[in-house]
Amino acid sequence: MPPRDVPKQKQEEFNHTYFQGIIVEIGNLKKYETFVPNQDKNNAYLGKKIGEIATAAEFYRFTYEHIIQKIRSVDVIWFNVRKMPAMLFEVEHSADIKNSLSKFAELQDFYTDLHIVAADVRKKEFETKLSSEVFRPIHNRVKFLSYDYVSSWHAKMNELATVENSLTL
């Protein structure tokens, strides 16, 4: 988590980019190709540019251009070995969750897991917006992941990677 003595605006940037970076690292450990949008690639994540840890240099053209244009700004996308989007993550620190759900709805015909990552206090807002009729096609496919959950997932993936690496030495 970010230090508390950081100004609010910087803390919001840090939270968003920090969790974006954690999700990229988890995807890398799980052997996905990870993508962050061009507007985020120069954001700082633990002393590096987040674009330096993402493994997909460009957005794969897996479908129609009008769909790609809508989802290429998703915070983190994990691509499988066939260059298809396997998992999408939107980190919602302060933005409107409805915008992210609208992007996700574009992929309703794809076999893709969809995730909103936010503070626990936003879970009710997530549930309310997801229950809207317009999101019915994706209602059962979008999962809410709290910051705490993502942090724990990241720690456990790193621990597992350490154990596996020690076994191959």
Side-chain angles (χ1 to χ4, degrees), residues 25-34 55 78-81 157 164-165:
E25 287 185 345
I26 295 168
N28 292 345
L29 288 167
K30 293 179 71 59
K31 308 294 188 222
Y32 286 100
E33 281 195 71
T34 53
T55 59
W78 295 354
F79 287 98
N80 65 23
V81 296
M157 286 299 300
E164 287 177 345
N165 286 340

Side-chain angles (χ1 to χ4, degrees), residues 2-12 14:
R4 296 287 174 219
D5 59 342
V6 174
K8 183 176 180 182
Q9 181 181 0
K10 283 303 248 182
Q11 199 167 49
E12 285 186 14
F14 185 83

